[in-house]
Amino acid sequence: MGQNNSSKESTIGKIYKCPNCQKTFPSETLTKEVNQHMVSCSNISQTKSSFLSNLFGKNSINNSKIKDYIKKHKIDWQDGCDNIELSRENCLEESVEKIEFVDLWRELKISFNGEIASDAGGLYREWFTILIEELEKKEKKLFERSECDEINYIFNKNLNENSVWSFKYFNFLGRLIAKSLIDNITINLSFNCLIYKLILGEKINFDDLKNIDTSLYSSLLSMKSMNPEELDSLEIYYSIQYQNDEGQIITEELIPGGNNKKVTDINDYIEKRINHLISKSQILIFHIQEGLFNFIPKEILESVNSSELELLICGQPFIDVNDWNKNSVYKGEYNKNHKLVKWFWDEIYKFSQEDLRKLLQFSTGTSRVPINGFKNLESNRGEIAKFCLNSVVYNENNKNNYIRAHTCFNRLDVPNFPNKEELHEAIIFVLKNNTGFGID
């Protein structure tokens, strides 16, 4: 079955900081370690769940205007649905073409060529995951990693008004975001906060550069304290250079004749750099907005700020096992005191954030938690459906005692394993096959 890779270093995910001491927690950090640190770091008496809520996200967002708009326009599932059949090999390109003929306000069902499966919600949520992964792939050259500690992505700097071939992808991305909001499905978009601010038309300021290029931000910050003579000695000009995808050095002027214009006012230079960044992104943002605002107008989305919009789209980035455990239910032979249930949670508390995301993806079809935590997990049709462990018979003569997921109900069917070791092996198998296998 393989071994748990919880201790291995991960290169995916965010880096979190303790609000008290600023200690950082990479995505591979075990939940247990975060809990222990928070208890020892804080001088006030709170539950571990509260610590994590304070640390990793705002749990209350006034998004009633968005909810009311969606409720008013969404078509009830009983009034029919749209269907899309796709090939896994060409899922993104086919989805881009076929989404044009879909009413996003109707229920959508996904099927894949050659697969005998009925979409009760699992394939639909898996579809979102596949599409986001495809859009963020380096080969697509749509995005590139920002130059900061937190792993996130900004637009590829080589994309501009001549990149007509890519515009359809950004329009599709806008539609995909709209559909995720309509159906309240959290998606794992690893976007830089700049993109969310630009979508809502919020002002970009100097501090935002810290989340895009930490080294550049630090350099500019030190220049702000220099006297005119020191700044002059650096010989900075109103132009920037970068390497394109072919390895060529590209120079772009921030103002006409910028290659020959020396910087004497650092604040003016910073303003020009920010304006250049915005202008480079504007055409791409326009196409995202076009896809998104055609379904949920800007004036409706502006009822939240960019940080809140990110939470609405992506959910909470950190998985709190205490919250997960507290808001779970059990069926069949299982209850919270059943030995297998206790074994299950003993295993889960040992997991890294990366493995927790894999298990959550397998169980619910998404790797992100709703903004108000696990108590707000929903079924495919918008009803509250808490995470559930359901007992199934363990077959002693059958080696295929797999854990199976019903993502439309956020339910795992778990055989009543006779010992903890077999349960462990079954969970590890899930981590290694967390999409496509045993999901409906």
Side-chain angles (χ1 to χ4, degrees):
M1 287 286 190
Q3 299 299 315
N4 191 345
N5 59 0
S6 297
S7 61
K8 293 183 179 180
E9 182 178 0
S10 171
T11 59
I12 302 175
K14 295 188 175 184
I15 293 178
Y16 308 100
K17 289 184 180 180
C18 170
N20 297 324
C21 68
Q22 303 304 306
K23 177 181 173 66
T24 58
F25 295 96
S27 64
E28 66 270 15
T29 306
L30 300 183
T31 304
K32 178 175 64 176
E33 295 175 15
V34 179
N35 282 339
Q36 289 173 345
H37 170 81
M38 293 304 297
V39 171
S40 62
C41 187
S42 177
N43 294 321
I44 58 177
S45 176
Q46 290 179 298
T47 64
K48 292 177 182 179
S49 179
S50 296
F51 281 128
L52 293 173
S53 295
N54 290 335
L55 177 59
F56 299 113
K58 182 178 179 181
N59 277 338
S60 179
I61 294 178
N62 183 19
N63 62 326
S64 57
K65 192 172 182 179
I66 298 174
K67 285 184 176 179
D68 290 345
Y69 185 86
I70 290 173
K71 183 178 180 180
K72 179 181 178 181
H73 289 82
K74 190 171 182 179
I75 299 172
D76 191 276
W77 63 271
Q78 294 177 322
D79 292 327
C81 65
D82 286 340
N83 297 273
I84 295 181
E85 184 175 353
L86 306 161
S87 66
R88 286 188 179 270
E89 297 77 16
N90 204 31
C91 183
L92 175 59
E93 285 70 20
E94 291 180 14
S95 296
V96 170
E97 297 301 325
K98 294 184 178 183
I99 202 72
E100 296 284 342
F101 306 100
V102 168
D103 182 352
L104 298 193
W105 293 108
R106 292 166 64 89
E107 182 174 87
L108 177 61
K109 290 185 178 294
I110 301 297
S111 61
F112 290 104
N113 298 339
E115 296 184 15
I116 303 175
S118 177
D119 185 12
L123 292 175
Y124 176 54
R125 296 187 191 186
E126 184 184 0
W127 175 67
F128 276 98
T129 300
I130 293 171
L131 294 176
I132 297 303
E133 289 176 350
E134 286 295 316
L135 286 166
E136 291 184 349
K137 273 186 178 179
K138 188 176 181 180
E139 293 79 6
K140 283 287 182 290
K141 299 182 180 180
L142 301 175
F143 302 94
E144 62 185 15
R145 183 176 168 180
S146 60
E147 299 294 330
C148 65
D149 290 337
E150 183 179 301
I151 297 177
N152 58 61
Y153 295 87
I154 56 177
F155 298 125
N156 185 332
K157 63 176 67 70
N158 293 297
L159 291 172
N160 52 44
E161 63 274 7
N162 298 318
S163 303
V164 177
W165 63 272
S166 68
F167 292 165
K168 63 179 181 180
Y169 290 115
F170 291 105
N171 184 280
F172 172 75
L173 177 57
R175 287 171 172 260
L176 199 64
I177 292 172
K179 187 59 174 166
S180 73
L181 291 171
I182 289 169
D183 290 342
N184 198 25
I185 293 178
T186 54
I187 54 180
N188 195 21
L189 278 178
S190 303
F191 285 171
N192 187 278
C193 59
L194 170 77
I195 294 179
Y196 295 102
K197 295 189 79 167
L198 289 174
I199 287 174
L200 291 182
E202 293 181 359
K203 182 177 176 58
I204 308 300
N205 55 47
F206 175 59
D207 286 339
D208 290 322
L209 293 179
K210 179 168 54 177
N211 300 315
I212 300 169
D213 190 328
T214 304
S215 178
L216 171 64
Y217 173 82
S218 299
S219 297
L220 293 174
L221 187 62
S222 63
M223 291 178 200
K224 285 169 73 72
S225 62
M226 291 181 178
N227 60 46
E229 291 76 18
E230 290 174 319
L231 184 61
D232 184 67
S233 67
L234 295 178
E235 296 193 356
I236 304 171
Y237 294 85
Y238 280 91
S239 62
I240 59 173
Q241 289 186 332
Y242 60 89
Q243 193 175 62
N244 68 10
D245 295 329
E246 286 71 42
Q248 301 170 317
I249 300 299
I250 304 298
T251 300
E252 293 183 354
E253 294 184 325
L254 301 179
I255 60 174
N259 282 331
N260 302 310
K261 173 70 173 177
K262 186 182 286 189
V263 174
T264 57
D265 183 344
I266 190 61
N267 291 320
D268 180 64
Y269 176 70
I270 290 172
E271 181 182 348
K272 295 297 190 297
R273 288 209 66 147
I274 292 174
N275 289 340
H276 178 266
L277 177 65
I278 294 172
S279 65
K280 287 277 288 185
S281 305
Q282 203 60 59
I283 186 65
L284 308 177
I285 287 292
F286 169 79
H287 287 281
I288 293 177
Q289 290 173 323
E290 185 179 45
L292 174 57
F293 295 164
N294 276 343
F295 295 92
I296 307 179
K298 183 180 181 181
E299 59 268 23
I300 299 297
L301 291 173
E302 284 179 336
S303 62
V304 298
N305 62 37
S306 57
S307 297
E308 292 170 334
L309 179 62
E310 180 180 6
L311 273 175
L312 287 175
I313 295 170
C314 301
Q316 293 192 40
F318 190 87
I319 298 174
D320 178 2
V321 181
N322 291 321
D323 183 45
W324 192 346
N325 187 343
K326 178 183 175 182
N327 289 288
S328 294
V329 295
Y330 307 97
K331 288 187 176 181
E333 296 181 21
Y334 295 154
N335 59 63
K336 65 179 181 180
N337 295 316
H338 193 283
K339 65 178 182 180
L340 186 133
V341 171
K342 291 182 177 180
W343 292 343
F344 178 85
W345 291 113
D346 284 345
E347 290 291 317
I348 306 310
Y349 272 102
K350 298 174 186 176
F351 283 179
S352 68
Q353 284 293 304
E354 192 63 28
D355 283 344
L356 288 173
R357 281 194 288 272
K358 290 179 181 178
L359 180 62
L360 186 62
Q361 176 77 49
F362 179 81
S363 306
T364 69
T366 177
S367 62
R368 305 286 288 226
V369 184
I371 57 174
N372 290 321
F374 281 91
K375 67 181 180 181
N376 273 28
L377 274 182
E378 294 184 353
S379 69
N380 186 49
R381 288 175 174 153
E383 301 166 339
I384 294 297
K386 291 187 176 182
F387 174 77
C388 175
L389 290 182
N390 178 53
S391 67
V392 293
V393 176
Y394 173 82
N395 190 338
E396 296 181 0
N397 300 318
N398 186 353
K399 294 183 179 180
N400 298 325
N401 283 299
Y402 297 119
I403 295 174
R404 298 187 179 274
H406 301 271
T407 55
C408 53
F409 308 118
N410 302 322
R411 190 182 84 204
L412 288 185
D413 287 345
V414 183
N416 193 353
F417 293 100
N419 55 68
K420 193 173 184 178
E421 289 70 27
E422 289 192 53
L423 173 62
H424 170 80
E425 290 296 307
I427 294 174
I428 297 308
F429 187 80
V430 165
L431 297 184
K432 293 181 177 294
N433 301 273
N434 66 307
T435 58
F437 176 83
I439 298 176
D440 64 25

